[in-house]
Amino acid sequence: MSTAAFNPQRRRLLAMGGGLLLTAAVIRRAGAAEAVEIQMSGTPSGSQVWFRPHGLLIQPGQTVRWVNSDTGNAHTTTAYHPKNHKPLRIPDGATPWDSGYLLPGQSFEVVLSVPGVYDYFCLPHEMAGMVGRIVVGTADAAHKPYAATDAQLPAVALAQFPDVAAILKSKRID
Ligand SMILES: [Cu+2]
């Protein structure tokens, strides 16, 4: 119950903060300071789980914040990277992340600075297709990134990555 009460309050604070940042943007560098939220959620039974948005375009240096807005499930946000025992599907030189288990109401942030395509997954739900893709800055819209490692991923996860072209066009894909 306390987490349910915490979330709306926190969102209001974030909204206020966002307003202040927009004001500051007049002075300098709006995009660099604004955090973008990705919700981690699912159906009450856990039979369906998702990141929302699961396709996202941000600018280099922007902060991404994953929030577990689920009522009962723990989730992770984990980069596809050898350090996380997965094939490399983030740009060369980018720092991989692994949130560890986030309980409902908990959140995790990273700052993504290296331009390119970042694929990530939820550790307990990769096999349920709970994956996401972030494009930082720009990417080759015609390119299928990381195709060489596609065969190492579960088909259900692979099927969920939005096309780079669609992310560049829509900026946000739920
Ligand atoms: Cu999950």
Side-chain angles (χ1 to χ4, degrees), residues 68 70 72-76 101-104 122 124-125:
N68 185 346
D70 210 328
N73 276 310
H75 299 283
T76 78
Y101 283 86
L102 298 175
L103 299 175
C122 170
H125 299 125

Side-chain angles (χ1 to χ4, degrees), residues 138-155:
T138 190
D140 181 354
H143 187 56
K144 289 256 180 211
Y146 314 126
T149 69
D150 280 358
Q152 299 173 52
L153 268 59

Side-chain angles (χ1 to χ4, degrees), residues 40-41 49-51 68 70 73-77 101 121-126 128 130:
M40 315 159 96
S41 195
V49 283
W50 55 79
F51 292 106
N68 185 346
D70 210 328
N73 276 310
H75 299 283
T76 78
T77 167
Y101 283 86
F121 63 103
C122 170
L123 192 57
H125 299 125
E126 183 193 24
M130 188 169 175

Side-chain angles (χ1 to χ4, degrees), residues 6-7 10 14 35-40 51 62-69 75-79 84 95-112 120-121 134:
F6 177 71
N7 265 338
R10 190 161 172 280
L14 287 169
V36 182
E37 275 198 9
I38 298 175
Q39 306 295 321
M40 315 159 96
F51 292 106
Q62 212 166 359
T63 301
V64 179
R65 179 187 303 120
W66 285 267
V67 179
N68 185 346
S69 53
H75 299 283
T76 78
T77 167
T78 307
N84 293 328
T95 306
W97 69 88
D98 178 19
S99 66
Y101 283 86
L102 298 175
L103 299 175
Q106 294 185 321
S107 63
F108 179 81
E109 289 184 356
V110 294
V111 177
L112 301 180
Y120 63 93
F121 63 103
I134 299 169

